[in-house]
Amino acid sequence: MTEFWESSFIENQMMWGFEPSDSAILTKDFFLEKNVKEILIPGIGYGRNAKVFVDNGINVTGIEISKTAIDLARQKELNISIFHGSVTDMPFDNKLYDGIFCYALIHLLNKQEREKFIKDCYHQLKPNGYMVFTTISKEAPMFGKGQQLGKDYFEIMDGVKMFFYDADSIKEEFGKYGLTDFSEIVEPHKNMESKPPFKFIMVKCQKEL
């Protein structure tokens, strides 16, 4: 996984542009409404989704597997704390956060990794804290493409394995971690408008007191 992302960022640099995703904008509004001050973004990439939080006075800490992506974030003057490593090795600090935002990452993990990742995120939330995950849906055009590895789990191209969520798997995986609601969100490709948008699911959880 490290090699795949490292070579992707080396080759494609800021491959998604620098506009934040719609999910990040919605989550920023939600976090501001809930008075969230400090968040963790696992899989921060080069920070395109971080800036919208930083610009609104929220302190951001990131985790990123690709050193190149971290360097790109620094070039964009994103001077925040970013841990270099895989989310599968969380936690990187003992800090508890008011919020966690994770965009288009969890579906790249296998079942055991997803389970550990959700649990690790939940453990790093303060009581009453919120975590928001945006993940790929079975409604996405890539569903069913490539080699099937398991139920709703496909290697869609060399080195890219994806688990596609639906309502049942959301409830099953997030149910014991404070799941409050989930909804479909259609994410346009902001730097490639000719490309069809992807259907994602936005999942919200709240840690109990």
Side-chain angles (χ1 to χ4, degrees):
M1 190 67 96
T2 311
E3 280 167 30
F4 173 81
W5 285 111
E6 193 54 41
S7 58
S8 293
F9 283 115
I10 288 168
E11 200 178 314
N12 303 309
Q13 299 283 297
M14 298 189 185
M15 51 191 143
W16 300 292
F18 215 73
E19 284 285 297
S21 64
D22 287 359
S23 302
I25 295 165
L26 288 170
T27 304
K28 174 264 296 177
D29 293 342
F30 174 69
F31 281 173
L32 288 174
E33 181 197 315
K34 299 295 182 188
N35 206 24
V36 166
K37 301 281 189 220
E38 223 167 350
I39 67 166
L40 179 66
I41 302 184
I44 197 166
Y46 53 78
R48 79 170 179 125
N49 284 326
K51 198 171 176 323
V52 72
F53 296 102
V54 173
D55 289 349
N56 282 276
I58 295 171
N59 286 330
V60 175
T61 298
I63 299 170
E64 177 50 48
I65 199 167
S66 163
K67 181 77 176 69
T68 303
I70 297 172
D71 292 343
L72 290 169
R74 298 292 179 232
Q75 283 168 32
K76 278 284 184 183
E77 297 185 351
L78 196 62
N79 300 315
I80 57 169
S81 172
I82 302 175
F83 295 105
H84 178 218
S86 169
V87 299
T88 56
D89 297 325
M90 281 173 70
F92 288 90
D93 62 9
N94 301 318
K95 201 164 171 176
L96 298 182
Y97 295 87
D98 304 316
I100 291 174
F101 175 63
C102 180
Y103 180 81
L105 180 149
I106 192 167
H107 52 256
L108 300 170
L109 306 176
N110 68 33
K111 190 166 175 50
Q112 289 73 22
E113 289 167 342
R114 292 195 307 274
E115 202 170 301
K116 178 183 183 294
F117 179 51
I118 297 168
K119 191 191 286 182
D120 288 342
C121 286
Y122 191 76
H123 283 159
Q124 283 207 257
L125 276 184
K126 286 180 184 169
N128 262 349
Y130 298 91
M131 54 185 190
V132 179
F133 295 83
T134 303
T135 186
I136 202 87
S137 151
K138 277 166 81 166
E139 303 292 317
M142 308 88 80
F143 177 65
K145 304 274 164 68
Q147 184 194 351
Q148 183 155 12
L149 305 169
K151 186 180 186 299
D152 302 334
Y153 190 42
F154 296 85
E155 183 158 12
I156 58 160
M157 56 182 178
D158 229 14
V160 183
K161 297 169 184 171
M162 272 194 192
F163 179 76
F164 294 82
Y165 279 93
D166 60 13
D168 289 343
S169 50
I170 294 282
K171 287 173 195 162
E172 185 188 330
E173 295 195 3
F174 294 91
K176 57 182 176 192
Y177 297 104
L179 178 64
T180 55
D181 63 271
F182 57 93
S183 54
E184 187 179 271
I185 178 163
V186 178
E187 283 283 5
H189 294 272
K190 296 192 173 180
N191 62 330
M192 295 179 281
E193 281 167 14
S194 57
K195 206 173 166 183
F198 280 176
K199 285 192 176 174
F200 282 97
I201 299 173
M202 228 173 139
V203 182
K204 280 184 190 165
C205 300
Q206 184 178 17
K207 190 169 187 174
E208 291 167 3
L209 273 172

